[in-house]
Amino acid sequence: KTKKIVERYFDVIVGPVLTEKTMNLTQTQNKVTIKVNAKSSKEEIKDAFDAANISIPFPQIEVHNAK
């Protein structure tokens, strides 16, 4: 069961978005841009980061839909 939960988290976090704009956000505002599954909720995203031992304050998760 634990393996299935971990696999689910890998389905949530797709990978980092590395562009000049996102790198500027990281350097100036300490923000990280991550591509996630469009069907994931904020809570699932937070749980996936927690499972990866990456701590972020829950209210600071901003979800933007992009094409």
Side-chain angles (χ1 to χ4, degrees), residues 5-50:
I5 292 170
V6 171
E7 287 175 0
R8 170 69 182 126
Y9 293 139
F10 284 115
D11 291 339
V12 172
I13 300 173
V14 177
V17 177
L18 301 174
T19 64
E20 189 174 332
K21 185 176 181 179
T22 61
M23 294 310 292
N24 187 37
L25 280 173
T26 301
Q27 293 171 350
T28 61
Q29 298 179 28
N30 200 28
K31 291 184 178 181
V32 179
T33 307
I34 303 291
K35 187 173 189 175
V36 297
N37 185 317
K39 295 179 182 178
S40 300
S41 68
K42 276 183 146 182
E43 191 156 327
E44 289 174 322
I45 296 167
K46 179 193 179 305
D47 290 344
F49 273 88
D50 287 345

